[in-house]
Amino acid sequence: MKIFKDENRKLYFSYPDKWEIAQDESTLSIYDPVDGLGVLQISSYNVPDPKEISIKDELEEFIEERHNEITVHLTDDFAYTPYLIDENKRYWKYWLILKKNTLIFCSYNCQKEDFGKEEKTLNEIIASIVK
């Protein structure tokens, strides 16, 4: 596993050795360039008062602009959705994580036929962000 660290974004996580990261000013895209089926994108934001943030509400608000169904689950560490389908029949999954003063938004999308095939790897990456 490789380790990604970005002090400016307050973002730290591990990801598979064969996966790559492409980044611009606001978003990281993580994917397997050879055998990959989808892309995990991550953005982070500093928040002045994390106590005022409801990650479930924030994620629901984001989703309602993009999907007809709104289903958000909440754990002790993050909010997340099951896979949701967009108008182009792509499958999407979202996570919102609050760590101290950093709000981390993650999304993954893939084609319908690839649904669930990278799930284990996604869960490992998300778990490494949360810890």
Side-chain angles (χ1 to χ4, degrees), residues 6-95:
D6 186 328
E7 293 294 332
N8 292 331
R9 296 179 193 196
K10 304 287 190 237
L11 195 54
Y12 318 95
F13 60 89
S14 58
Y15 61 102
D17 290 330
K18 66 180 190 169
W19 284 43
E20 293 183 5
I21 293 181
Q23 54 186 321
D24 62 26
E25 289 183 23
S26 62
T27 306
L28 300 173
S29 296
I30 308 163
Y31 58 95
D32 180 339
V34 176
D35 300 316
L37 305 170
V39 176
L40 176 64
Q41 294 186 309
I42 303 173
S43 301
S44 62
Y45 310 90
N46 290 325
V47 292
D49 189 358
K51 292 178 184 171
E52 292 184 11
I53 301 288
S54 166
I55 56 175
K56 185 175 189 288
D57 292 347
E58 292 287 330
L59 190 52
E60 284 174 348
E61 185 178 314
F62 177 83
I63 291 167
E64 70 186 12
E65 296 175 10
R66 290 158 181 80
H67 298 279
N68 294 330
E69 289 185 37
I70 300 173
T71 304
V72 174
H73 302 284
L74 186 63
T75 72
D76 290 338
D77 299 315
F78 57 90
Y80 69 97
T81 68
Y83 281 92
L84 305 173
I85 304 169
D86 70 12
E87 67 277 355
N88 297 319
K89 306 294 185 213
R90 287 191 68 78
Y91 278 56
W92 289 83
K93 188 168 184 175
Y94 303 94
W95 299 263

